[in-house]
């Protein structure tokens, strides 16, 4: 194992370093606040740099390390995913959707910039994500361009109507209704799991990874994708807003379909722990190259925010 990853402090320092890379790349990927038209660039930056955990970019970089995907491609993919994630949060908070006042510990985009500008900030982030991935170096080998396109298509599918958007539709339609366990799993896998899955499978497309490694990553992605949302449901029911940086107890108040509502808190916690073990088993064969993925699976399940 890389010596730095043998201890919890070493892993934390490595994630800090990777987070720094992501921050700098995101900074460079967006026009400055002063660029015309300034309002939209202020709104985009307000949400993107509001203090998110950067879990998705870290997953991308961890998966890239496991399969040996190239640094610049993986970093661009990591930025694109974080932009799409932030767009989804801005739109999710709108009055027409979850109508939330607090996100990442700050007033939501529409509270600060108004609804129209918040919609546009989300649109701008979604657009910039695919724009960024389409920016390949002049003279890049055809094979490298093909791999990038494969990763881009995978991300488009995850963000689309059978992934993130589909899950959000199901979520809105399930409000105040009794939801079967199987439908709840489908909802969570689409709304949250699809984008997390793309974080793991994008680097596999960029590398490209061997068939065995693809299977390992798929198994890992399925496990952490569901585990993350199950834990989110538990935290919404058990933690305070100050801890979460967003309104707490909202799911229950809105009559949302959650694992806590359908299965109860203890069963939800037990499921998350089983999924964490499943994820760890899946990436064990990577050995030291999978150390960051393993650490992220633990962080995603054991987190408090
Ligand atoms: C509007 C198309 C559209 C989709 C919205 C992502 C989503 C779908 C809704 C967000 C509601 C929500 C709380 C989902 C739970 C999972 C989730 C995405 C939590 C937030 O992710 P974190 O904890 O947030 O990684 P940070 O702020 O740390 O990036």
């Amino acid at each position: 194992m890389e010596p730095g990853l043998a201890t919890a402090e070493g892993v934390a320092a490595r994630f800090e370093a990777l987070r720094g890379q992501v921050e700098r790349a995101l900074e460079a990927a967006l026009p400055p606040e002063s660029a015309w038209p300034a309002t939209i660039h202020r709104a985009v930056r307000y949400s993107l740099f509001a203090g998110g955990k950067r879990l998705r970019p870290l997953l991308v970089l961890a998966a890239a390390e496991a399969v040996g995907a190239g640094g610049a491609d993986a970093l661009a993919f990591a930025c694109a995913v974080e932009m799409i994630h932030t767009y989804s949060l801005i739109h999710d908070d709108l009055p027409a959707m979850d109508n939330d006042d607090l996100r990442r510990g700050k007033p939501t985009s529409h509270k600060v910039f108004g609804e129209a500008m918040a919609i546009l900030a989300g649109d701008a982030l979604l657009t910039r994500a695919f724009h960024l991935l389409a920016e390949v170096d002049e003279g890049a080998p055809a094979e490298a361009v093909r791999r990038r396109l494969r990763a881009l298509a995978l991300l488009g599918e995850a963000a689309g109507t059978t992934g993130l958007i589909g899950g959000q539709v199901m979520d809105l339609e399930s409000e105040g209704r009794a939801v079967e366990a199987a439908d709840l799993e489908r909802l969570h896998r689409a709304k949250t799991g699809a984008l997390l899955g793309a974080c793991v499978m994008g680097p596999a497309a960029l590398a490209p990874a061997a068939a065995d490694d693809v299977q390992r990553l798929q198994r890992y992605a399925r496990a952490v994708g569901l585990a993350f949302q199950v834990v989110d449901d538990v935290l919404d029911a058990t933690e305070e807003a100050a801890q979460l940086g967003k309104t707490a107890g909202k799911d229950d108040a809105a009559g949302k379909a959650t694992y806590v509502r359908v299965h109860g808190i203890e069963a939800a916690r037990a499921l998350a722990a089983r999924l964490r073990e499943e994820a760890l088993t899946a990436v064990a064969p990577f050995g030291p190259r999978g150390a960051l993925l393993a650490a992220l699976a633990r962080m995603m399940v054991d987190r408090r925010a």
Side-chain angles (χ1 to χ4, degrees), residues 63-71 73-74 143-144 146-148 150-151 200-210 213-214 217 286 289:
E65 178 157 301
V67 294
D73 278 344
E143 178 53 23
R146 258 196 299 277
R147 287 182 206 166
R148 222 199 238 217
R150 244 177 262 137
V200 180
M201 301 318 295
L206 290 170
D213 285 347
V214 169
L217 290 180
F286 284 116
R289 286 184 298 134

Side-chain angles (χ1 to χ4, degrees), residues 237-257:
T238 56
E239 296 292 337
E240 303 289 328
Q243 173 72 23
L244 298 177
K246 62 179 184 178
T247 316
K250 259 222 93 195
D251 294 342
D252 198 39
K256 286 258 169 131

Side-chain angles (χ1 to χ4, degrees), residues 215-290:
Q215 275 184 5
R216 288 172 186 134
L217 290 180
Q218 275 167 342
R219 190 175 162 201
Y220 174 90
R222 263 187 85 71
V224 296
L226 184 58
F228 184 81
Q229 184 61 59
V230 172
V231 171
D232 209 74
D233 289 354
V234 172
L235 293 177
D236 184 78
T238 56
E239 296 292 337
E240 303 289 328
Q243 173 72 23
L244 298 177
K246 62 179 184 178
T247 316
K250 259 222 93 195
D251 294 342
D252 198 39
K256 286 258 169 131
T258 71
Y259 266 73
V260 171
R261 176 174 281 233
V262 172
H263 299 281
I265 286 190
E266 283 321 312
R269 283 196 176 121
L271 173 62
R274 274 205 307 282
L275 290 166
R276 180 190 57 212
E277 296 316 303
E278 166 79 9
L280 293 176
T281 306
V283 294
F286 284 116
R289 286 184 298 134

Side-chain angles (χ1 to χ4, degrees), residues 157-219:
E157 186 177 3
T161 49
T162 54
L164 176 68
I165 291 177
Q168 181 74 349
V169 170
M170 215 176 158
D171 192 48
L172 291 170
E173 290 182 347
S174 74
E175 265 179 40
R177 296 202 186 154
V179 171
E180 304 272 325
D183 287 336
L184 178 64
E185 182 175 333
R186 185 172 189 195
L187 190 170
H188 280 15
R189 286 196 183 280
K191 187 177 91 166
T192 315
L195 196 60
L196 290 168
C199 295
V200 180
M201 301 318 295
L206 290 170
D212 278 2
D213 285 347
V214 169
Q215 275 184 5
R216 288 172 186 134
L217 290 180
Q218 275 167 342
R219 190 175 162 201

Side-chain angles (χ1 to χ4, degrees), residues 14-16 18-19 22 53-63 78 292-293 296 299:
R14 187 72 202 288
F15 281 136
E16 255 337 282
L18 292 176
R19 256 192 215 104
V22 170
K53 295 182 286 296
R54 308 301 195 212
L55 176 66
R56 290 157 192 78
L58 291 179
L59 259 182
V60 172
L61 299 180
L292 292 179
L293 283 174
L296 281 168
M299 276 166 56

